[in-house]
Amino acid sequence: MSDQRKTELQMYWRDNIRAVSILLFIWFVVAYGCSIFCIELLNHIQIGNVGLGFWFAQQGSIFVFVILVLVYALWMDRLDRKYDVGE
Amino acid sequence: MFLDHLFIIAETDPARPWTWAFVGITFALYLFIGWISRVRDSKGFYVAGQGVPAFANGAATAADWMSAASFLGMAGLISFSGSDGAVYLMGWTGGYVLLALLLAPYLRKFGHYTVPDFIGERYYSETARIVAAICAIFVSLTYVAGQMKGVGVVFSRFLEVELWMGVMIGMAIVSFFAVLGGMKGITWTQVVQYFVLILAFIIPTVAISRMLTGDPIPQTAFAFGDISQRLNEVLAGLGEEIYTEPFTRFSKLNVFMITAALMFGTAGLPHVIVRFYTVRTVRAARYSAVWAIIFIAILYTAAPALGMFARFNLINSLHESRITELTVKHDGDVKSFSFPGESEAAWQWVQEAGDDANLTYSVTSKAGVPLEWATRWQNTGLLTFDDWNRDGTISLKLQETEADGKPVRKSEMAKIDKDIIVLSTPEVANLPPWVIALVAAGGLAAALSTAAGLLLVISSSLAHDLYIRFVKPDASEAEKVLMGRIAILFGIVVAGYFGINPPGFVGEVVAFAFGLAAASFFPAIFLGIFSRRVNRAGAVSGMIAGLLFTMSYIVMCTADKVLPMFFDAPVLTQEDWWLGISPQGIGTLGMVLNFVVTLTISSVTPAPPEEVQELVENVRIP
């Protein structure tokens, strides 16, 4: 493997870490922030007939999780193409 | 002759012929798929030849993931935990995000058959491999016993066969497609089982949603229907806790600790991780994760709605129902009293018969509808009433009374097993008998698909990680497959035995398996990928520290159940919980301890050998 390719792969890994960190930050804010630590605060806001905090805890967080996993797959596709890795 | 028999059954329970039909058809389908996907080589047996398309692997992963507990138990648990039920909803789906982003693609790139394989190679240690294999077997066995018991419950309630007989039938079906088809047979049956279980869950939920809120989509009815407010009002009237109010069941700290333990624990469950070994490429592993979470979310976003609907419906039909007949079984003697005429004689007889008499109440709702399902569930012992104020009605209102000279608040529903909520909901809502039968078939699909995935882990750990590696490394392909089959059969027999005779620790361990997995597996796999520097000494001591800490706390809190021969009370009672942390959430602390120990020890001991560092570099690039 040439030195240039090695540097490229290191950059691929760095970009990968960045993608995962951003997505997991959102994961943490939604699951722990909105649904547990700030649930009482958010419950003052209504979504339909339930409090927003309750909604996040029981349903909203799951919708966000689905989107996170999808965005991850698409994001990584782009990185794979950019650095020309993968089978 | 046979038809006559069916008609007699149909008279007692209209759902039963439908149940036999649905269970028969789905089981025949599973057997057929098992037969056409039988395998000959070990790659086919352990990882389905690594040729499963992403969509199919997504469905199989979802079926694997959603156990009898997700299908039968979760909505019921939420139903009685209110807002705090979120720990299960978020714990099990949020862990999936961790698995998809942090573990699955890299483990697929690594490409071997099992989790102990990864641990053994990455930490260049046969001891670590053996420890990981034993942990995998232990976690999977206790978990699979729970699935088998779920199979037994469905059979005993809906087909009125004995529990052991139900477990035996379930074992026979699983052994056919798992032994014959290995991972390939399991994968394709799981795909079909996913669609059976999701239909079985969604159809009744949609029907009830439309009935209670006018909106057929449970996901939107949950927030935009008025059911939450109506339920809150009803509960307030009964003196129960408000449904949408947070932290009524667990403290804020414990909601956090339990959610985290469930998340990091699920991400480390070996039977789900191995599903990602079965696809062709790393990219396919990512997309099968996308499919799987979509498939899982369909059930998990409907479950909180069903929990609410079920609680509301149950209260509405049972509260203030009138007793029409009381059957008292005592010492093989059965007496029936019709109400209100013979009520005085009845209570007198109940008094004479004493505490060990078995009471079955036939009740009619306040609207005048006879509640036959209530009688049928009482016959299984999972629902019991006690009209302790002797007024001829069953009230669900919490009332002040005395027990053993101490004041208590209780209703006249003496016991309701949370596992019956999903199974009974269609009957409570008066849905047609075929829907009830579909739910039974769905519960079986959920239990069998998870059981099959777990059995494969047991088989691969025993045959691939232990026997072939250490006893017979020169085994031929045919021998490897044969060993896998024998091991899977062994797993089925052990699981069936525990399903019929569950030892006290099984129920406890299943509840805590996630915490144990979080404290042991997750940090070892995660750091194995994301750190080149973490070495054998660090990982092994971290795993041991996390596991010992978590296990000893759990044992101390449940000593009377786990070690009944030594203790008759827990060493730590709820008041003495350390920082008030419940044993269900302690795995989170165990995990933090594991991380700290692993990183500290690794930093003061030499870096791993060059080839291991190269392995880490290699799994990072797809």
Side-chain angles (χ1 to χ4, degrees), chain B residues 228-297:
Chain B
S228 55
Q229 288 162 335
R230 278 152 71 199
L231 179 58
N232 279 344
E233 278 162 30
V234 169
L235 287 173
L238 297 180
E240 295 266 6
E241 266 133 5
I242 301 301
Y243 194 85
T244 55
E245 190 66 29
F247 314 126
T248 53
R249 198 175 132 77
F250 304 117
S251 67
K252 191 181 244 186
L253 176 70
N254 273 327
V255 169
F256 168 73
M257 297 297 274
I258 297 171
T259 307
L262 291 178
M263 280 189 184
F264 290 95
T266 5
L269 284 183
H271 71 287
V272 183
I273 292 178
V274 292
R275 287 241 46 95
F276 292 96
Y277 288 108
T278 64
V279 294
R280 205 164 282 131
T281 61
V282 173
R283 186 166 180 270
R286 294 187 202 124
Y287 277 93
S288 64
V290 176
W291 283 116
I293 196 164
I294 291 174
F295 289 138
I296 292 170

Side-chain angles (χ1 to χ4, degrees), chain B residues 65-87:
Chain B
W65 186 278
M66 293 190 282
S67 57
S70 288
F71 187 93
L72 301 174
M74 192 180 60
L77 263 176
I78 299 166
S79 201
F80 285 90
S81 322
S83 181
D84 295 348
V87 299

Side-chain angles (χ1 to χ4, degrees), chain B residues 349-414:
Chain B
W349 175 241
V350 169
Q351 187 97 37
E352 279 168 33
D355 282 344
D356 52 336
N358 187 328
L359 274 57
T360 308
Y361 294 82
S362 300
V363 293
T364 297
S365 75
K366 35 173 204 271
V369 185
L371 305 174
E372 282 155 25
W373 54 267
T375 316
R376 286 198 284 270
W377 281 109
Q378 286 177 73
N379 288 337
T380 63
L382 298 175
L383 174 72
T384 49
F385 297 134
D386 174 18
D387 182 20
W388 49 263
N389 65 8
R390 306 285 191 246
D391 65 353
T393 62
I394 299 296
S395 165
L396 301 193
K397 197 175 158 104
L398 290 176
Q399 296 170 78
E400 309 281 342
T401 177
E402 273 190 7
D404 305 325
K406 285 184 218 127
V408 287
R409 292 176 80 220
K410 61 176 186 180
S411 78
E412 291 181 338
M413 184 161 65

Side-chain angles (χ1 to χ4, degrees), chain B residues 548-572:
Chain B
L548 279 186
F549 169 78
T550 311
M551 192 115 93
S552 31
Y553 190 81
I554 291 172
V555 169
M556 283 201 285
C557 294
T558 58
D560 52 326
K561 288 177 195 138
V562 185
L563 301 168
M565 51 294 213
F566 301 122
F567 297 96
D568 41 18
V571 181
L572 283 177

Side-chain angles (χ1 to χ4, degrees), chain A residues 1 5-6 8-10 12-13 16-17 19-25 27-28 30-32 34-41 43 46-51 53-81 83-87, chain B residues 78 82-87 89-90 93-98 100-102 105-106 108-109 218-220 222-229 243-247 252 255-256 259-261 263-264 280-283 286-287 289-290 293-294 297 300-302 304-305 308 529-530 532 617 619-622:
Chain A
M1 206 188 294
R5 184 65 183 150
K6 262 194 181 145
E8 268 179 29
L9 290 181
Q10 271 169 8
Y12 171 78
W13 181 244
N16 180 352
I17 296 278
V20 171
S21 311
I22 293 172
L23 294 172
L24 286 184
F25 176 74
W27 168 85
F28 184 85
V30 170
Y32 295 99
C34 302
S35 309
I36 299 176
F37 295 120
C38 304
I39 186 170
E40 291 115 327
L41 200 68
N43 272 344
Q46 290 278 310
I47 169 166
N49 283 312
V50 295
F54 175 80
W55 180 78
F56 260 118
Q58 296 228 333
Q59 209 178 41
S61 56
I62 300 174
F63 291 130
V64 176
F65 296 157
V66 174
I67 295 167
L68 290 177
V69 176
L70 177 65
V71 169
Y72 170 72
L74 295 170
W75 196 334
M76 290 309 287
D77 268 357
R78 252 185 47 194
L79 292 185
D80 285 1
R81 268 199 308 277
Y83 293 98
D84 189 29
V85 295
E87 289 142 90
Chain B
I78 299 166
S83 181
D84 295 348
V87 299
L89 291 161
M90 285 202 298
T93 51
Y96 192 81
V97 177
L98 295 173
L101 271 58
L102 299 177
Y106 311 107
R108 170 63 194 86
K109 177 62 197 303
Q219 280 86 352
T220 53
F222 172 75
F224 298 99
D226 58 353
I227 188 73
S228 55
Q229 288 162 335
Y243 194 85
T244 55
E245 190 66 29
F247 314 126
K252 191 181 244 186
V255 169
F256 168 73
T259 307
M263 280 189 184
F264 290 95
R280 205 164 282 131
T281 61
V282 173
R283 186 166 180 270
R286 294 187 202 124
Y287 277 93
V290 176
I293 196 164
I294 291 174
Y300 270 68
T301 51
M308 241 186 217
I529 298 162
F530 285 83
R532 286 173 23 170
E617 291 289 322
V619 298
R620 290 175 176 184
I621 311 298

Side-chain angles (χ1 to χ4, degrees), chain B residues 191-517:
Chain B
V191 173
V192 177
Q193 282 162 336
Y194 172 74
F195 290 100
V196 174
L197 83 87
I198 200 70
L199 274 180
F201 195 86
I202 293 301
I203 289 178
T205 310
V206 165
I208 295 163
S209 178
R210 212 179 64 157
M211 189 189 296
L212 288 182
T213 65
D215 178 356
I217 303 168
Q219 280 86 352
T220 53
F222 172 75
F224 298 99
D226 58 353
I227 188 73
S228 55
Q229 288 162 335
R230 278 152 71 199
L231 179 58
N232 279 344
E233 278 162 30
V234 169
L235 287 173
L238 297 180
E240 295 266 6
E241 266 133 5
I242 301 301
Y243 194 85
T244 55
E245 190 66 29
F247 314 126
T248 53
R249 198 175 132 77
F250 304 117
S251 67
K252 191 181 244 186
L253 176 70
N254 273 327
V255 169
F256 168 73
M257 297 297 274
I258 297 171
T259 307
L262 291 178
M263 280 189 184
F264 290 95
T266 5
L269 284 183
H271 71 287
V272 183
I273 292 178
V274 292
R275 287 241 46 95
F276 292 96
Y277 288 108
T278 64
V279 294
R280 205 164 282 131
T281 61
V282 173
R283 186 166 180 270
R286 294 187 202 124
Y287 277 93
S288 64
V290 176
W291 283 116
I293 196 164
I294 291 174
F295 289 138
I296 292 170
I298 295 173
L299 188 143
Y300 270 68
T301 51
L306 181 62
M308 241 186 217
F309 301 153
R311 183 84 179 269
F312 182 81
N313 247 352
L314 192 78
I315 294 172
N316 233 10
S317 42
L318 278 183
H319 183 49
E320 292 179 351
S321 54
R322 270 185 303 107
I323 303 171
T324 53
E325 195 181 72
L326 177 62
T327 308
V328 185
K329 287 189 200 112
H330 178 62
D331 282 344
D333 189 24
V334 182
K335 281 192 186 177
S336 285
F337 303 91
S338 68
F339 270 57
E342 298 170 347
S343 60
E344 263 175 49
W347 298 130
Q348 194 159 8
W349 175 241
V350 169
Q351 187 97 37
E352 279 168 33
D355 282 344
D356 52 336
N358 187 328
L359 274 57
T360 308
Y361 294 82
S362 300
V363 293
T364 297
S365 75
K366 35 173 204 271
V369 185
L371 305 174
E372 282 155 25
W373 54 267
T375 316
R376 286 198 284 270
W377 281 109
Q378 286 177 73
N379 288 337
T380 63
L382 298 175
L383 174 72
T384 49
F385 297 134
D386 174 18
D387 182 20
W388 49 263
N389 65 8
R390 306 285 191 246
D391 65 353
T393 62
I394 299 296
S395 165
L396 301 193
K397 197 175 158 104
L398 290 176
Q399 296 170 78
E400 309 281 342
T401 177
E402 273 190 7
D404 305 325
K406 285 184 218 127
V408 287
R409 292 176 80 220
K410 61 176 186 180
S411 78
E412 291 181 338
M413 184 161 65
K415 177 189 153 194
I416 179 159
D417 190 305
K418 290 163 189 72
D419 284 354
I420 72 176
I421 294 293
V422 170
L423 286 174
S424 69
T425 296
E427 294 172 292
V428 177
N430 237 330
L431 296 178
W434 66 267
V435 178
I436 299 163
L438 186 63
V439 172
L444 289 174
L448 291 179
S449 57
T450 307
L454 290 161
L455 285 166
L456 194 88
V457 169
I458 297 169
S459 154
S460 58
S461 300
L462 279 175
H464 173 83
D465 295 327
L466 298 177
Y467 183 79
I468 291 178
R469 185 128 194 129
F470 297 107
V471 184
K472 200 153 194 255
D474 55 343
S476 68
E477 267 304 291
E479 279 176 307
K480 282 185 188 167
V481 177
L482 180 68
M483 270 318 296
R485 289 193 167 132
I486 293 173
I488 225 169
L489 205 60
F490 166 80
I492 291 169
V493 172
V494 176
Y497 176 80
F498 284 140
I500 299 168
N501 312 299
F505 72 85
V506 165
E508 295 301 312
V509 176
V510 171
F512 301 117
F514 296 98
L516 293 173

